[in-house]
Amino acid sequence: MTWTKQVKAIRELELRKDDIIVCAYPKSGTHWVWEVISMLLAGQAVYEPRAKELLMLELTPLKKLDKLLSPRVLNTHLPFSMLPTASMRARRVKVVHVYRNPRDVMVSMYHHFRQFRMENTESVQSYCKAFLAGTVAYGHYAGYLNQMHHFTKVNSDLPVFHVSFEEMKLDPQSTVRRLAEHLEVQASDTLIREVVSACAFNKMKKVDSTKEQVRFFGMELDQKLYRKGEVGDWQNHLSEEETATFDTEFSKVLDNDHFQFRYTL
């Protein structure tokens, strides 16, 4: 299937009322939150045997998703203009939006896509320019956040939960508890502690290599999805002047102050 046909099929996808969709721009913590949600729904801190890409809207033939048992924890990096928003509204599908400070997102994306020797990954500086211009995979991060904010504002009655990568790092137990409440899942203190422990970065990095192989339109993806998982790694890559320029250029595209970013803990 071509990319154009896949996007069209995604927009027309009929969701189920108990579906959960994790929405996040790349390298914002999608794997982490997706695994946490899977464990909360299962009621035990047991790792999902499938890679989350196998339930990713843009990477999976939708006919395969139709065969999955409910509840499905779907996920995507696509902007809302490409999502089945009509079905999301009609079914009142629960949405979990994960976001991360843009400086760390840029650096993490640079290291991720450098594995594929993609354009503009010759240096952090060259990738940073492309990131701020919105010419990287999945487009401009600020544009993504603008669409997310608009969807949330226009559909204020829909169950959308915003969670930042940084608050998950800072206070994982409280954040996981709030997430369980959003999902309407009964979670004991013991379960929450076990989920937080199981989803620690180093443990997830280790278990990821044991999951089912991911294929993208017939092509195997051999990639390292976990690197550092830290807050503030941008400080190792950007000078003070580069950081100031980054913030200025990023804010020119971001049209709201709904998302508060933490750059250090």
Side-chain angles (χ1 to χ4, degrees), residues 29-49:
T30 319
H31 282 77
W32 189 7
V33 174
W34 182 84
E35 193 77 63
V36 166
I37 291 174
S38 298
M39 289 183 180
L40 287 174
L41 292 179
Q44 54 184 336
V46 176
Y47 297 107
E48 165 63 56

Side-chain angles (χ1 to χ4, degrees), residues 107-123:
V107 170
S108 186
M109 285 183 70
Y110 160 71
H111 285 287
H112 178 76
F113 287 112
R114 190 171 63 163
Q115 298 176 86
F116 305 109
R117 297 180 177 85
M118 292 183 69
E119 188 177 0
N120 299 312
T121 56
E122 298 83 6
S123 67

Side-chain angles (χ1 to χ4, degrees), residues 147-163:
Q147 287 196 28
M148 170 60 72
H149 175 63
H150 178 74
F151 178 85
T152 303
K153 185 177 180 179
V154 172
N155 301 280
S156 58
D157 61 323
L158 292 186
V160 180
F161 183 83
H162 301 280
V163 59

